[in-house]
């Protein structure tokens, strides 16, 4: 069990270091060498968890998506506001959120599939707003 815990911690350290490098340099200018330096791990440890820089970037985007959660509220619009506040806070203080945001909006890396991050956020917001509408908290659109 201790070996598995260590592997989980190592993976997280690598993800956070990579996110920080992606945030600072963007995907194309980020280097494995810089990620290794910031993570303080061996090349073998990095490649054990992530076969390529692309896989590492996708993992950063995926990690961001996993963390979209707010405490359920009686008013769904409050959950929407809470989610926005949490995201704003994390964009200032969380390396994964900042790195994933940079990866999601970056235009130069056309071979990197960034849709999952935006799609997950859109689905999350759409679900909250649909539920708010069903509860009468939001009016439907008029044409």
């Amino acid at each position: 069990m201790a070996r598995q815990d260590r592997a989980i911690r190592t993976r997280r350290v690598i993800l956070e270091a990579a996110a920080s490098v992606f945030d600072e340099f963007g995907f194309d200018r980020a280097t494995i060498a810089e990620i290794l330096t910031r993570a303080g791990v061996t090349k073998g440890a990095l490649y054990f968890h992530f076969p390529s820089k692309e896989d590492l970037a996708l993992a950063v985007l995926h990690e961001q998506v996993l963390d979209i959660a707010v405490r359920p509220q009686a008013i769904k619009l409050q959950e929407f506001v809470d989610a926005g506040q949490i995201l704003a806070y994390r964009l200032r203080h969380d390396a994964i959120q900042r790195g994933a945001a940079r990866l999601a909006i970056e235009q130069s890396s056309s071979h990197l599939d960034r849709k999952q991050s935006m799609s997950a956020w859109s689905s999350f917001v759409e679900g909250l707003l649909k539920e708010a509408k069903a509860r009468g908290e939001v009016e439907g659109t008029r044409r």
Side-chain angles (χ1 to χ4, degrees):
M1 188 63 102
R3 179 177 269 170
Q4 184 179 13
D5 290 342
R6 186 178 63 174
I8 291 167
R9 284 192 308 275
T10 300
R11 184 180 189 281
R12 183 66 185 190
V13 165
I14 294 167
L15 277 175
E16 288 178 0
S20 176
V21 173
F22 291 140
D23 177 39
E24 187 174 335
F25 297 107
F27 178 80
D28 289 334
R29 289 185 27 226
T31 65
I32 293 296
E34 181 63 26
I35 294 167
L36 290 171
T37 298
R38 291 194 190 184
V41 299
T42 65
K43 193 180 286 189
L46 185 140
Y47 285 116
F48 172 80
H49 292 283
F50 306 101
S52 68
K53 186 168 88 168
E54 291 82 7
D55 288 322
L56 188 49
L58 291 173
V60 168
L61 286 165
H62 181 70
E63 194 71 21
Q64 174 199 33
V65 172
L66 290 177
D67 208 15
I68 300 174
V70 295
R71 192 166 31 109
Q73 300 287 332
I75 299 173
K76 286 298 160 183
L77 283 179
Q78 185 61 54
E79 284 185 42
F80 177 70
V81 170
D82 292 350
Q85 289 178 324
I86 290 169
L87 179 60
Y89 176 84
R90 287 183 180 162
L91 282 169
R92 286 190 315 271
H93 301 285
D94 183 274
I96 299 277
Q97 292 295 327
R98 285 191 315 274
R102 170 92 186 246
L103 289 169
I105 62 171
E106 196 171 53
Q107 297 299 312
S108 61
S109 302
S110 59
H111 61 282
L112 185 63
D113 181 9
R114 300 175 299 274
K115 292 179 287 196
Q116 108 186 44
S117 176
M118 293 300 181
S119 294
W121 177 253
S122 295
S123 295
F124 174 74
V125 168
E126 183 180 3
L128 284 177
L129 293 177
K130 279 183 178 179
E131 199 168 338
K133 181 180 175 186
R135 293 175 173 206
E137 296 173 22
V138 178
E139 287 189 32
T141 57
R142 295 194 176 114
R143 293 181 187 234

